[in-house]
């Protein structure tokens, strides 16, 4: 099936491309990674003026949605320009509050959605599981070399627990509560971790993306939604512009009941879809920059782009990205769990493959932080794993084919 955007959707994409192209997002990303949010907030405000944050919000709360296809269109452009901030999380927060309102809990929506739509409230969202796991459920897999909370895992327990109501924006952790591994040679905020330290048990809060910049840190634990009062130390992730922090326990309760869990599942689908669109945009940007580079770089007096091996590598990268695109738009039309999972896996893997291709074909210069290429390279892997790792997404696709229930958030 071929998916074609309408003239209005294509015009929306062009308008965002033009606006972000003039915004010097590379400088905003570098500043964001250093803890200076001013340039990034300026871009955020312009995105609000363009209507990006209104796409997941219904008209009753000053939005224009829900419009998942337009959300994908917008987030592809945000990925292409490497816009910093809790992008998918803010869209998911809008979806969460909107669905809660539709289920009869409209007070949080009335309070927060106008600010989110207008750009004055930057929101981030973390969804976590409360309490101990049920009998027989698998505990979160620890990082290689670390001990499990209650000793070594039993044989056959390697399969990760479903991420239902447990997706986090951390690009490294596969399950709830798994702390992000620091980069090689870097220390955690409070020093190196103790030898054999265990990952937090289920019920411990996951990591929130850009909690230090957000005006509202929304935390879902089971059937409770609350507004966190603060957060712990900021942890540097693989992408310096993805700043992670654990929300403080407690905070102001916003809603309680089964509707919270249902709304969290709906929001997680939006987060996964938006993250997949970002991955596609990052991959397209990396491919475009790499094609331009191989046309200029010469070896033996010939542009390396004319070498057959280079052409094949670039063609494979393009095919992966183009195969992911219709899955992404198809998922936006249905919002079914299996469709969103397939799009997330395909776009995430394609974006990461584009990063590997870009790094190889740029050679040693690709490793330098001074080159703007690094700003996109370092986003591809975290986006691939955020809100559903490839393994988790493939499992959801298989569950959908077999008729088994499952989802990103419930």
């Amino acid at each position: 099936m071929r998916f074609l955007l309408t003239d209005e959707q294509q015009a929306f994409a062009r308008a965002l491309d033009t606006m972000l192209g003039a915004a010097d997002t590379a400088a905003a990303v570098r500043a964001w990674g250093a803890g200076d949010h001013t340039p990034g907030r300026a871009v955020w405000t312009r995105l609000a003026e363009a209507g990006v944050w209104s796409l997941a919000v219904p008209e009753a709360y000053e939005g224009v949605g829900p419009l998942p296809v337009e959300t994908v269109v917008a987030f592809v452009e945000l990925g292409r320009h490497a816009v910093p901030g809790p992008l998918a999380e803010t869209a998911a927060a809008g979806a969460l509050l909107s669905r809660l309102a539709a289920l009869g809990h409209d007070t949080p929506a009335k309070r927060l959605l106008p600010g989110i739509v207008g750009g004055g409230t930057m929101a981030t969202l973390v969804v976590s599981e409360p309490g101990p796991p049920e009998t027989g459920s698998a505990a979160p897999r620890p990082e290689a070399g670390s001990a499990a909370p209650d000793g070594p895992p039993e044989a056959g327990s390697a399969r990760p627990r479903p991420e239902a109501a447990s997706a986090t924006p951390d690009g490294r952790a596969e399950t709830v509560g798994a702390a992000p591994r620091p980069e090689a040679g870097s220390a955690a905020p409070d020093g190196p971790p103790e030898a054999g330290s265990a990952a937090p048990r289920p019920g411990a809060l996951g990591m929130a993306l850009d909690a230090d910049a957000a005006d509202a840190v929304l935390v879902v634990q089971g059937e409770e939604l609350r507004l966190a009062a603060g957060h712990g130390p900021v942890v540097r992730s693989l992408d310096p512009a993805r700043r992670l922090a654990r929300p403080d326990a407690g905070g102001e309760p916003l809603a309680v009941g089964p509707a919270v869990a249902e709304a969290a599942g709906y929001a997680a689908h939006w987060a996964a879809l938006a993250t997949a669109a970002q991955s596609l945009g990052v991959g397209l940007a990396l491919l475009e920059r790499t094609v331009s580079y191989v046309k200029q770089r010469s070896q033996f007096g010939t542009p390396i782009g004319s070498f057959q091996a280079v052409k094949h590598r670039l063609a494979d990268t393009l095919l992966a990205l183009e195969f992911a695109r219709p899955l992404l738009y198809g998922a936006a039309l249905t919002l079914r769990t299996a469709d969103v999972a397939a799009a997330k896996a395909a776009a995430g893997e394609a974006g990461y493959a584009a990063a590997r291709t870009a790094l190889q074909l740029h050679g040693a210069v690709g490793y330098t932080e001074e080159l703007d290429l690094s700003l996109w390279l370092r986003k591809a892997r975290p986006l691939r794993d955020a809100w559903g790792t490839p393994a988790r997404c493939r499992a959801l696709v298989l569950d959908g084919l077999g008729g088994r229930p499952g989802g990103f958030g419930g």
Side-chain angles (χ1 to χ4, degrees):
M1 183 178 293
R2 189 178 183 190
F3 292 91
L4 296 177
L5 298 178
T6 65
D7 292 341
E8 291 79 7
Q9 290 165 342
Q10 294 180 38
F12 182 43
R14 288 193 297 269
L16 288 176
D17 181 37
T18 300
M19 182 192 76
L20 293 172
D24 194 7
T25 54
V29 173
R30 295 185 188 279
W32 195 276
D36 178 8
H37 304 128
T38 303
R41 291 299 294 250
V43 175
W44 196 274
T45 300
R46 297 190 65 183
L47 290 173
E49 293 170 353
V52 171
W53 311 126
S54 67
L55 297 174
V57 179
E59 293 182 9
Y61 301 98
E62 302 185 18
V64 297
L67 297 173
V69 175
E70 284 74 9
T71 297
V72 167
V73 170
F75 273 77
V76 169
E77 295 305 318
L78 299 186
R80 285 187 62 239
H81 291 275
V83 176
L87 307 172
E89 290 69 27
T90 294
L96 170 72
L97 296 171
S98 299
R99 176 54 67 93
L100 265 180
L103 295 173
H105 299 264
D106 62 352
T107 301
K110 291 178 179 178
R111 174 179 170 184
L112 296 173
L113 282 181
I116 291 175
V117 170
T121 300
M122 179 183 291
T124 191
L125 173 68
V126 58
V127 183
S128 196
E129 285 187 83
E134 295 179 359
T135 303
S137 64
R141 288 188 297 173
E143 300 289 347
S146 65
D150 299 308
E154 297 179 0
S157 64
R159 183 179 179 182
R161 288 184 299 110
E163 291 179 22
S166 65
T168 71
D170 181 3
R172 291 180 178 270
E174 290 191 14
T175 53
V176 170
R181 291 177 294 172
E183 294 186 80
S186 67
D190 298 322
E194 297 178 2
S197 61
R201 295 175 179 271
L205 293 181
M207 304 294 282
L209 178 63
D210 295 318
D212 59 326
D215 304 297
V217 180
L218 298 175
V219 177
V220 175
Q221 284 189 289
E223 296 186 348
E224 179 186 20
L225 170 66
R226 58 185 174 81
L227 193 63
H231 59 83
V234 173
V235 178
R236 190 168 184 256
S237 72
L238 179 65
D239 175 8
R242 291 178 66 85
R243 297 163 60 84
L244 304 169
R246 198 176 300 281
D248 292 341
E252 179 186 353
L254 297 179
V256 178
V260 172
E262 181 180 336
Y266 175 73
H269 279 66
W270 278 80
L273 190 67
T275 303
Q278 281 183 266
S279 293
L280 179 62
V282 166
L284 292 171
L286 286 166
L287 179 61
E288 180 182 351
R289 289 168 177 266
T290 305
V291 169
S292 177
Y293 178 78
V294 299
K295 289 179 179 178
Q296 301 170 11
R297 171 74 186 274
S298 294
Q299 208 170 61
F300 309 114
T302 304
I304 64 173
S306 65
F307 299 164
Q308 197 72 5
V310 173
K311 290 180 179 180
H312 284 183
R313 186 69 185 265
L314 292 171
D316 289 343
T317 302
L318 176 62
L319 282 174
L321 292 168
E322 290 304 321
F323 271 109
R325 193 192 298 268
L327 289 175
L328 192 58
Y329 288 119
L333 289 174
T334 68
L335 280 182
R336 287 197 296 258
T337 298
D339 294 341
V340 174
K344 178 66 173 61
E349 295 281 31
Y352 183 51
R356 293 171 64 90
T357 297
L359 185 60
Q360 181 180 25
L361 298 186
H362 276 79
V365 71
Y367 286 91
T368 62
E369 291 193 3
E370 291 76 14
L371 189 70
D372 283 350
L373 182 79
S374 67
L375 304 179
W376 281 263
L377 284 175
R378 300 177 79 167
K379 289 185 179 300
R381 177 64 182 270
L383 288 173
R384 186 196 75 168
D385 292 347
W387 294 101
T389 63
R392 174 60 185 151
C393 289
R394 286 190 286 270
L396 288 173
V397 173
L398 292 175
D399 287 346
L401 292 175
R404 293 187 294 271
F408 295 95

